[in-house]
Amino acid sequence: MSCGNHHDVDCGEVLKRVYSFIDNELGSASVDEIRQHLDECGPCLEQFDLERSLKKLVHRSCTGEHAPEGLRERILLRITQIHVEMRTQD
Ligand SMILES: [Zn+2]
Ligand SMILES: [Zn+2]
């Protein structure tokens, strides 16, 4: 999966790690990689924003609790679909 540009870390890898990135669960080396990628990759940045908004939303709906695993999977799947749709549009 990629947006057509070359990146040191490919888009699929970034999207896999974006949850951990938002949760601050990545080591600083990985954080730099993701940040750099989001800097140069519009589609991933959009997904990151979407992801972060969804997470806030989920957080709000179940205060202090982690989202159920199923919901997390569904959101992740939806985000992957959006990424694919964005790719097929151009
Ligand atoms: Zn990307
Ligand atoms: Zn890209």
Side-chain angles (χ1 to χ4, degrees):
M1 193 194 295
S2 104
C3 66
N5 296 327
H6 173 77
H7 302 296
D8 290 341
V9 183
D10 73 39
C11 293
E13 193 56 41
V14 168
L15 295 176
K16 258 191 278 170
R17 289 200 233 159
V18 96
Y19 270 108
S20 312
F21 180 72
I22 291 168
D23 288 338
N24 294 315
E25 285 168 357
L26 294 176
S28 57
S30 303
V31 166
D32 286 348
E33 279 176 3
I34 306 285
R35 279 226 184 91
Q36 196 200 333
H37 187 106
L38 294 178
D39 236 37
E40 60 192 32
C41 186
C44 282
L45 183 62
E46 274 180 44
Q47 301 223 48
F48 167 70
D49 281 341
L50 183 70
E51 181 62 45
R52 206 174 35 179
S53 316
L54 281 172
K55 195 176 165 62
K56 267 191 220 153
L57 222 124
V58 168
H59 230 79
R60 226 179 288 149
S61 58
C62 44
T63 6
E65 301 278 316
H66 278 290
E69 205 54 38
L71 178 63
R72 188 182 150 120
E73 292 303 315
R74 281 211 306 277
I75 291 173
L76 193 61
L77 183 69
R78 178 68 194 126
I79 285 166
T80 309
Q81 284 168 349
I82 290 168
H83 198 95
V84 171
E85 282 163 18
M86 285 195 307
R87 281 193 62 210
T88 47
Q89 274 165 15
D90 40 57

